Amino acid sequence: MTRDLEEFRIISLPEEAFYIADFISEREEEHLLQKIVSAPLPRWTHLSHRRLQSWPSALTKTNTLLESPLPPWLKSPIVEPKFEELGIFKNAPHGAPNHVLINEYTPGQGIMPHEDGAAYHPLVATVSLGSPIVLDLYEKSRQDEPNAECENPTGRKPQFRILQERRSLLVTRGRLYTDFLHGIAEIDRDEDLEPHSICNWSLLRGEDVSHKNSYARGTRTSLTYRDVLKVAKMGNTAKFLGGK
């Protein structure tokens, strides 16, 4: 049965975002984490503040994805049937996500406020695993543009905060994608968790933060599903890798 994404809208945000607390089961979460940690070491890219995997591959220098299917464990049950039931990517150019970025954040790690940029259709669906974390949102100012990766807005507090629980789904689209920066603070503990400060409070499952104003972070892994706009068939690989 098709579910209505509107049931999960974060109504306190000025633009479109949706949050589902119990998007996957504990067994599904455990299976996904096992698949991620058992991936071959070359699959991991190590950055200064986190490590990540790109599936089916990283984008080329021209922001092009080489055509290849997602592995079955990243498609079922998340894309098929859960995304399909909600119609999340039905209006995207390819009708389904074709790229997944997996980020692992240990306590104290995060990512500077940034935008995902024009390589993707303006829609992001993120599944959180392992531990909750707070996502900070900042409306872009003139000084932030046109950089895809922006420096931390010094002294600027986030305008909105979204608490992403383990096993949850967060969908952002439209202006919330194009006109806002998002980031994760590099801290060991998320604090000030109250209805007035967390904009998706009414949609939370709550067991991870109930009766608490804060919690110590654990290792959180995110699966970010997107639709890359430019896709090249494998026969054209040389063209998109800089060949002639």
Side-chain angles (χ1 to χ4, degrees), residues 3 31 42 53 57 60 66 70 108 118 123 133 135 142 164 179-181 200 209 233-234 243:
R3 303 166 73 187
H31 174 71
Q53 297 178 19
S57 63
T60 70
L66 303 181
L70 292 174
L123 166 65
I133 209 164
L135 182 74
R142 184 170 297 180
Q164 295 176 264
D179 295 354
F180 283 78
L181 307 179
N200 61 322
V209 294
K233 294 187 179 299
M234 296 303 289

Side-chain angles (χ1 to χ4, degrees), residues 135-147:
L135 182 74
D136 296 324
L137 300 178
Y138 307 80
E139 189 164 13
K140 289 197 308 191
S141 65
R142 184 170 297 180
Q143 67 197 41
D144 294 323
E145 300 178 6
N147 300 320

